[in-house]
Amino acid sequence: MSLFRPQVQQMTGYTPGEQPQESGWVKLNTNENPYPPSPLVKEAVERALSGRLNIYPDPLATEFRKVAADLFQVEPDWILPGNGSDEVLTILMRTFADAGDLVSAPYPSYTLYETLAEIQGARFEKIQLSPDWSWPVSQAPAISGKSKILFVPNPNAPSGNRWTDDEITSLVPPQGVLVLDEAYGDFCDQPHKGELLKSKAGERIIVTRTFSKSYSLAGIRFGFAVAHPELIQGMQKVKDSYNCNTLSLAAALAAMKDQEWMQANTKKIQETRARLVTELNQLGFDTVDSQTNFVWCTHPDQQHERRYQELKRRKILVRYMKFGLTDGVLDGLRITVGTDDEVQAVLNALEEIG
């Protein structure tokens, strides 16, 4: 007899991207920002280190919520911070989905959604996207209409495409919530600013954000949710008492105050992304119009896994991804937009590999 809950015993679990511990790698597999965070972050963390670390942090993250609220033009009670956006997603699952409830998400997409549903004992249904990464007109409303939670990463991962506001609002569950995962929202040509929260469907929408991407702070683990206060109040009942530590709160607050630094880095990434797409196309790859800090690419010869292994042999990491579909298999390479030198290294290697 297993000591584990049946759901835990049966599940596979989420597999994060490789994190080599030795130096010398060109690491373009987990969508980290290649540029350092704002210098204000270091100053803030050093001040926090010399402060009262023997005292619990503010459980409500009051100062951070004020700054985040100003950025989204809402009140502080619309904000809920978390230990990375992954913890925010966990809080959402525990708040809104009971065992046996239906949770759904587009597919291919972020596989953690399914893992969280399995842990909760909820049912999970995939909405298989069309070959051009658009929503299937007949299937999507039928599934979302029965869901307690519909997770929508916008822009999507691994494809990088962004859906329109009308497409998103048409899928809000009538008896549930739509979680708009905007991990890559700052990299869009027209960045997200929480507009859908103020739409007619906004009372059932929860936006999640992370500091791991545009703010260059993957190492501190900080994220937050934005939603109407009634939803935030319910989520606060579920979160750990002190879910954000003193150092991460200091770093996140300083980073968010320096919007100019963040926007300068995202602009550099957008420019490098455009060059990466152009040169991948010249090498014969097909790409999706990316609104993120990564590019999804496939090649007509379908030798994606071979290229991944050859790149890895050269100490260049990209993400090889494979998805089982109802009518076959989709695989390809997801390449993080690094510095110009890192991107040139992967392009040179791909040309050499052939």
Side-chain angles (χ1 to χ4, degrees):
M1 180 180 293
S2 173
L3 296 175
F4 299 105
R5 292 171 50 219
Q7 291 87 353
V8 176
Q9 178 69 22
Q10 296 165 13
M11 64 186 288
T12 302
Y14 176 72
T15 304
E18 297 171 82
Q19 294 284 357
Q21 300 303 301
E22 71 274 13
S23 60
W25 288 84
V26 174
K27 192 174 178 302
L28 302 176
N29 65 323
T30 48
N31 303 338
E32 292 127 329
N33 197 311
Y35 302 109
S38 164
L40 299 181
V41 170
K42 182 180 178 182
E43 297 173 11
V45 171
E46 287 176 344
R47 284 196 301 271
L49 280 170
S50 62
R52 299 191 302 167
L53 293 183
N54 59 311
I55 302 298
Y56 284 117
D58 176 4
L60 297 178
T62 305
E63 289 304 310
F64 173 81
R65 294 172 78 196
K66 288 178 181 177
V67 174
D70 286 343
L71 188 64
F72 281 83
Q73 297 182 341
V74 295
E75 294 300 316
D77 58 357
W78 286 58
I79 308 295
L80 179 81
N83 181 22
S85 62
D86 285 353
E87 192 216 10
V88 175
L89 298 177
T90 300
I91 292 171
L92 284 162
M93 186 68 70
R94 294 170 62 195
T95 303
F96 295 103
D98 209 344
D101 284 341
L102 179 63
V103 174
S104 59
Y107 181 82
S109 185
Y110 189 26
T111 56
L112 181 66
Y113 304 139
E114 183 172 4
T115 300
L116 295 177
E118 289 177 331
I119 295 170
Q120 188 71 359
R123 294 178 294 124
F124 186 80
E125 193 161 350
K126 301 171 182 176
I127 303 174
Q128 184 171 307
L129 298 169
S130 303
D132 63 354
W133 300 94
S134 63
W135 291 93
V137 177
S138 59
Q139 184 190 20
I143 296 176
S144 67
K146 299 179 294 183
S147 300
K148 287 299 294 293
I149 303 177
L150 170 62
F151 288 103
V152 179
N154 196 36
N156 189 38
S159 53
N161 65 295
R162 178 179 179 176
W163 293 297
T164 67
D165 289 354
D166 288 341
E167 289 175 299
I168 299 301
T169 54
S170 69
L171 296 171
V172 176
Q175 302 299 322
V177 295
L178 185 148
V179 177
L180 197 54
D181 184 348
E182 294 184 352
Y184 303 98
D186 288 325
F187 297 105
C188 296
D189 294 334
Q190 295 293 324
H192 293 284
K193 295 187 182 297
E195 297 87 348
L196 289 182
L197 294 172
K198 294 152 189 176
S199 68
K200 287 184 178 180
E203 292 183 359
R204 291 187 177 273
I205 295 176
I206 300 162
V207 171
T208 63
R209 286 295 187 103
T210 178
F211 277 69
S212 298
K213 313 301 181 184
S214 56
Y215 288 96
S216 307
L217 288 173
I220 71 157
R221 311 307 303 128
F222 196 90
F224 63 100
V226 191
H228 281 252
E230 295 78 8
L231 300 180
I232 294 296
Q233 287 170 11
M235 294 167 65
Q236 284 177 333
K237 297 177 184 179
V238 175
K239 82 172 186 71
D240 291 342
S241 300
Y242 304 99
N243 62 327
C244 299
N245 68 70
T246 297
L247 302 183
S248 65
L249 282 168
L253 180 62
M256 180 159 274
K257 285 182 176 179
D258 197 349
Q259 290 294 303
E260 185 177 349
W261 181 276
M262 182 273 286
Q263 290 166 6
N265 283 344
T266 56
K267 183 177 180 181
K268 287 189 286 188
I269 288 169
Q270 288 170 333
E271 292 169 350
T272 305
R273 179 182 72 196
R275 184 170 71 86
L276 174 60
V277 168
T278 297
E279 299 202 25
L280 283 171
N281 294 157
Q282 291 173 355
L283 290 173
F285 287 88
D286 297 315
T287 57
V288 177
D289 178 23
S290 176
Q291 293 291 293
T292 63
N293 69 333
F294 59 83
V295 174
W296 172 258
C297 62
T298 56
H299 197 282
D301 67 14
Q302 297 295 305
Q303 295 184 35
H304 307 122
E305 189 170 11
R306 177 183 72 86
R307 289 185 173 88
Y308 160 75
Q309 294 292 354
E310 287 289 339
L311 287 170
K312 188 173 180 180
R313 192 167 63 83
R314 292 163 170 79
K315 300 196 79 171
I316 298 174
L317 277 181
V318 300
R319 193 79 182 261
Y320 169 68
M321 307 188 83
K322 186 175 183 178
F323 302 93
L325 307 179
T326 56
D327 53 353
V329 172
L330 170 69
D331 71 342
L333 300 177
R334 192 194 68 188
I335 304 175
T336 302
V337 179
T339 63
D340 286 331
D341 288 344
E342 289 172 330
V343 164
Q344 192 59 55
V346 74
L347 288 168
N348 291 344
L350 286 171
E351 186 172 15
E352 179 184 312
I353 290 165

